[in-house]
PDB file of all heavy atoms in Angstrom:
ATOM      1  N   TYR A  51       3.228  52.290  43.523  1.00 81.00           N
ATOM      2  CA  TYR A  51       2.355  52.596  42.458  1.00 81.00           C
ATOM      3  C   TYR A  51       1.391  51.391  42.236  1.00 81.00           C
ATOM      4  O   TYR A  51       1.880  50.260  42.216  1.00 81.00           O
ATOM      5  CB  TYR A  51       3.125  52.863  41.139  1.00 81.00           C
ATOM      6  CG  TYR A  51       4.239  53.849  41.302  1.00 81.00           C
ATOM      7  CD1 TYR A  51       5.517  53.483  41.532  1.00 81.00           C
ATOM      8  CD2 TYR A  51       3.964  55.235  41.248  1.00 81.00           C
ATOM      9  CE1 TYR A  51       6.525  54.404  41.709  1.00 81.00           C
ATOM     10  CE2 TYR A  51       4.928  56.133  41.476  1.00 81.00           C
ATOM     11  CZ  TYR A  51       6.217  55.718  41.657  1.00 81.00           C
ATOM     12  OH  TYR A  51       7.219  56.637  41.820  1.00 81.00           O
ATOM     13  N   TYR A  55      -5.408  47.635  34.822  1.00 92.00           N
ATOM     14  CA  TYR A  55      -5.326  47.436  33.395  1.00 92.00           C
ATOM     15  C   TYR A  55      -6.558  46.678  32.899  1.00 92.00           C
ATOM     16  O   TYR A  55      -7.069  45.835  33.641  1.00 92.00           O
ATOM     17  CB  TYR A  55      -4.082  46.619  33.012  1.00 92.00           C
ATOM     18  CG  TYR A  55      -2.812  47.423  32.953  1.00 92.00           C
ATOM     19  CD1 TYR A  55      -2.055  47.629  34.152  1.00 92.00           C
ATOM     20  CD2 TYR A  55      -2.377  48.016  31.828  1.00 92.00           C
ATOM     21  CE1 TYR A  55      -0.912  48.375  34.138  1.00 92.00           C
ATOM     22  CE2 TYR A  55      -1.189  48.765  31.806  1.00 92.00           C
ATOM     23  CZ  TYR A  55      -0.445  48.890  32.962  1.00 92.00           C
ATOM     24  OH  TYR A  55       0.674  49.654  32.914  1.00 92.00           O
ATOM     25  N   GLN A  57      -8.157  44.183  29.838  1.00 91.00           N
ATOM     26  CA  GLN A  57      -7.805  43.336  28.728  1.00 91.00           C
ATOM     27  C   GLN A  57      -9.074  42.777  28.106  1.00 91.00           C
ATOM     28  O   GLN A  57      -9.740  42.001  28.789  1.00 91.00           O
ATOM     29  CB  GLN A  57      -6.829  42.259  29.162  1.00 91.00           C
ATOM     30  CG  GLN A  57      -6.342  41.414  28.003  1.00 91.00           C
ATOM     31  CD  GLN A  57      -5.339  40.329  28.427  1.00 91.00           C
ATOM     32  OE1 GLN A  57      -5.469  39.725  29.544  1.00 91.00           O
ATOM     33  NE2 GLN A  57      -4.287  40.071  27.602  1.00 91.00           N
ATOM     34  N   ARG A 112       3.742  47.926  41.823  1.00 77.00           N
ATOM     35  CA  ARG A 112       5.204  47.906  41.790  1.00 77.00           C
ATOM     36  C   ARG A 112       5.730  48.734  42.926  1.00 77.00           C
ATOM     37  O   ARG A 112       5.114  49.727  43.336  1.00 77.00           O
ATOM     38  CB  ARG A 112       5.707  48.448  40.427  1.00 77.00           C
ATOM     39  CG  ARG A 112       5.546  49.986  40.292  1.00 77.00           C
ATOM     40  CD  ARG A 112       5.835  50.431  38.897  1.00 77.00           C
ATOM     41  NE  ARG A 112       7.160  50.037  38.453  1.00 77.00           N
ATOM     42  CZ  ARG A 112       7.653  50.415  37.334  1.00 77.00           C
ATOM     43  NH1 ARG A 112       7.036  51.227  36.537  1.00 77.00           N
ATOM     44  NH2 ARG A 112       8.832  50.007  36.947  1.00 77.00           N
ATOM     45  N   GLN A 117      11.343  47.491  39.102  1.00 58.00           N
ATOM     46  CA  GLN A 117      10.756  48.052  37.943  1.00 58.00           C
ATOM     47  C   GLN A 117       9.581  47.276  37.408  1.00 58.00           C
ATOM     48  O   GLN A 117       8.688  47.801  36.754  1.00 58.00           O
ATOM     49  CB  GLN A 117      11.804  48.190  36.843  1.00 58.00           C
ATOM     50  CG  GLN A 117      12.902  49.156  37.111  1.00 58.00           C
ATOM     51  CD  GLN A 117      13.789  49.267  35.941  1.00 58.00           C
ATOM     52  OE1 GLN A 117      13.407  49.850  34.970  1.00 58.00           O
ATOM     53  NE2 GLN A 117      14.976  48.715  36.021  1.00 58.00           N
ATOM     54  N   ASN A 118       9.647  45.959  37.616  1.00 68.00           N
ATOM     55  CA  ASN A 118       8.632  45.115  36.958  1.00 68.00           C
ATOM     56  C   ASN A 118       7.336  45.145  37.810  1.00 68.00           C
ATOM     57  O   ASN A 118       7.357  45.419  38.993  1.00 68.00           O
ATOM     58  CB  ASN A 118       9.076  43.694  36.846  1.00 68.00           C
ATOM     59  CG  ASN A 118       9.447  43.071  38.161  1.00 68.00           C
ATOM     60  OD1 ASN A 118      10.416  43.436  38.774  1.00 68.00           O
ATOM     61  ND2 ASN A 118       8.619  42.144  38.620  1.00 68.00           N
ATOM     62  N   PHE A 119       6.235  44.885  37.094  1.00 77.00           N
ATOM     63  CA  PHE A 119       4.958  44.816  37.687  1.00 77.00           C
ATOM     64  C   PHE A 119       4.713  43.408  38.281  1.00 77.00           C
ATOM     65  O   PHE A 119       5.190  42.465  37.721  1.00 77.00           O
ATOM     66  CB  PHE A 119       3.838  45.071  36.680  1.00 77.00           C
ATOM     67  CG  PHE A 119       3.642  46.504  36.345  1.00 77.00           C
ATOM     68  CD1 PHE A 119       4.509  47.499  36.784  1.00 77.00           C
ATOM     69  CD2 PHE A 119       2.579  46.914  35.565  1.00 77.00           C
ATOM     70  CE1 PHE A 119       4.317  48.823  36.487  1.00 77.00           C
ATOM     71  CE2 PHE A 119       2.400  48.216  35.258  1.00 77.00           C
ATOM     72  CZ  PHE A 119       3.231  49.152  35.657  1.00 77.00           C
ATOM     73  N   GLY A 122      -2.151  40.820  39.466  1.00 90.00           N
ATOM     74  CA  GLY A 122      -3.065  39.862  40.079  1.00 90.00           C
ATOM     75  C   GLY A 122      -3.582  38.956  39.014  1.00 90.00           C
ATOM     76  O   GLY A 122      -3.242  39.097  37.832  1.00 90.00           O
TER      77      GLY A 122
ATOM     78  N   TYR B  39       6.760  40.673  28.994  1.00 93.00           N
ATOM     79  CA  TYR B  39       5.959  39.850  29.803  1.00 93.00           C
ATOM     80  C   TYR B  39       5.402  38.653  29.003  1.00 93.00           C
ATOM     81  O   TYR B  39       5.229  38.755  27.764  1.00 93.00           O
ATOM     82  CB  TYR B  39       4.701  40.640  30.373  1.00 93.00           C
ATOM     83  CG  TYR B  39       5.036  41.681  31.330  1.00 93.00           C
ATOM     84  CD1 TYR B  39       5.480  42.956  30.917  1.00 93.00           C
ATOM     85  CD2 TYR B  39       4.933  41.487  32.738  1.00 93.00           C
ATOM     86  CE1 TYR B  39       5.778  43.933  31.873  1.00 93.00           C
ATOM     87  CE2 TYR B  39       5.225  42.458  33.645  1.00 93.00           C
ATOM     88  CZ  TYR B  39       5.623  43.676  33.173  1.00 93.00           C
ATOM     89  OH  TYR B  39       5.951  44.653  34.108  1.00 93.00           O
ATOM     90  N   GLN B  41       2.160  35.953  28.976  1.00 91.00           N
ATOM     91  CA  GLN B  41       0.865  35.658  29.479  1.00 91.00           C
ATOM     92  C   GLN B  41       0.348  34.338  28.869  1.00 91.00           C
ATOM     93  O   GLN B  41      -0.028  34.268  27.761  1.00 91.00           O
ATOM     94  CB  GLN B  41      -0.140  36.753  29.238  1.00 91.00           C
ATOM     95  CG  GLN B  41      -1.483  36.521  29.902  1.00 91.00           C
ATOM     96  CD  GLN B  41      -2.470  37.620  29.637  1.00 91.00           C
ATOM     97  OE1 GLN B  41      -2.396  38.345  28.639  1.00 91.00           O
ATOM     98  NE2 GLN B  41      -3.416  37.806  30.558  1.00 91.00           N
ATOM     99  N   ASP B  46      -2.290  35.432  34.433  1.00 85.00           N
ATOM    100  CA  ASP B  46      -1.899  36.835  34.438  1.00 85.00           C
ATOM    101  C   ASP B  46      -0.484  36.980  33.867  1.00 85.00           C
ATOM    102  O   ASP B  46       0.289  36.016  33.789  1.00 85.00           O
ATOM    103  CB  ASP B  46      -1.885  37.357  35.888  1.00 85.00           C
ATOM    104  CG  ASP B  46      -1.068  36.524  36.818  1.00 85.00           C
ATOM    105  OD1 ASP B  46      -1.446  35.329  37.078  1.00 85.00           O
ATOM    106  OD2 ASP B  46      -0.021  37.039  37.302  1.00 85.00           O
ATOM    107  N   PHE B  49       6.374  38.728  34.401  1.00 88.00           N
ATOM    108  CA  PHE B  49       7.507  39.517  34.018  1.00 88.00           C
ATOM    109  C   PHE B  49       8.690  38.634  33.570  1.00 88.00           C
ATOM    110  O   PHE B  49       9.052  37.669  34.310  1.00 88.00           O
ATOM    111  CB  PHE B  49       7.970  40.415  35.115  1.00 88.00           C
ATOM    112  CG  PHE B  49       9.228  41.142  34.885  1.00 88.00           C
ATOM    113  CD1 PHE B  49       9.301  42.154  33.939  1.00 88.00           C
ATOM    114  CD2 PHE B  49      10.343  40.835  35.568  1.00 88.00           C
ATOM    115  CE1 PHE B  49      10.498  42.850  33.661  1.00 88.00           C
ATOM    116  CE2 PHE B  49      11.518  41.522  35.404  1.00 88.00           C
ATOM    117  CZ  PHE B  49      11.625  42.526  34.414  1.00 88.00           C
ATOM    118  N   SER B  59      18.049  45.750  33.040  1.00 82.00           N
ATOM    119  CA  SER B  59      17.836  46.381  34.271  1.00 82.00           C
ATOM    120  C   SER B  59      17.167  45.528  35.324  1.00 82.00           C
ATOM    121  O   SER B  59      17.331  45.752  36.544  1.00 82.00           O
ATOM    122  CB  SER B  59      17.016  47.660  34.115  1.00 82.00           C
ATOM    123  OG  SER B  59      15.809  47.370  33.423  1.00 82.00           O
ATOM    124  N   ASP B  60      16.437  44.493  34.882  1.00 82.00           N
ATOM    125  CA  ASP B  60      15.845  43.574  35.833  1.00 82.00           C
ATOM    126  C   ASP B  60      15.519  42.273  35.108  1.00 82.00           C
ATOM    127  O   ASP B  60      15.335  42.268  33.899  1.00 82.00           O
ATOM    128  CB  ASP B  60      14.523  44.217  36.355  1.00 82.00           C
ATOM    129  CG  ASP B  60      14.050  43.604  37.652  1.00 82.00           C
ATOM    130  OD1 ASP B  60      14.732  42.713  38.170  1.00 82.00           O
ATOM    131  OD2 ASP B  60      13.009  44.032  38.178  1.00 82.00           O
ATOM    132  N   GLU B 107       7.302  56.331  35.369  1.00 59.00           N
ATOM    133  CA  GLU B 107       7.541  55.002  34.908  1.00 59.00           C
ATOM    134  C   GLU B 107       6.253  54.161  34.674  1.00 59.00           C
ATOM    135  O   GLU B 107       6.327  52.959  34.673  1.00 59.00           O
ATOM    136  CB  GLU B 107       8.440  54.244  35.861  1.00 59.00           C
ATOM    137  CG  GLU B 107       7.895  54.131  37.257  1.00 59.00           C
ATOM    138  CD  GLU B 107       8.265  55.400  38.118  1.00 59.00           C
ATOM    139  OE1 GLU B 107       8.535  56.499  37.559  1.00 59.00           O
ATOM    140  OE2 GLU B 107       8.255  55.244  39.343  1.00 59.00           O
ATOM    141  N   THR B 108       5.102  54.814  34.487  1.00 73.00           N
ATOM    142  CA  THR B 108       3.935  54.064  34.102  1.00 73.00           C
ATOM    143  C   THR B 108       4.217  53.298  32.817  1.00 73.00           C
ATOM    144  O   THR B 108       4.791  53.796  31.865  1.00 73.00           O
ATOM    145  CB  THR B 108       2.761  55.006  33.877  1.00 73.00           C
ATOM    146  OG1 THR B 108       2.463  55.630  35.122  1.00 73.00           O
ATOM    147  CG2 THR B 108       1.527  54.279  33.352  1.00 73.00           C
ATOM    148  N   GLN B 109       3.875  52.046  32.855  1.00 79.00           N
ATOM    149  CA  GLN B 109       4.148  51.184  31.671  1.00 79.00           C
ATOM    150  C   GLN B 109       2.977  51.152  30.733  1.00 79.00           C
ATOM    151  O   GLN B 109       1.853  50.939  31.147  1.00 79.00           O
ATOM    152  CB  GLN B 109       4.482  49.761  32.158  1.00 79.00           C
ATOM    153  CG  GLN B 109       5.729  49.663  33.052  1.00 79.00           C
ATOM    154  CD  GLN B 109       6.115  48.226  33.378  1.00 79.00           C
ATOM    155  OE1 GLN B 109       5.531  47.295  32.885  1.00 79.00           O
ATOM    156  NE2 GLN B 109       7.034  48.152  34.317  1.00 79.00           N
TER     157      GLN B 109
END
Side-chain angles (χ1 to χ4, degrees):
Chain A
Y51 309 97
Y55 282 86
Q57 186 178 37
R112 74 189 305 186
Q117 295 186 70
N118 59 290
F119 282 9
Chain B
Y39 291 83
Q41 185 181 25
D46 55 293
F49 171 70
S59 53
D60 201 1
E107 60 273 24
T108 296
Q109 297 185 11

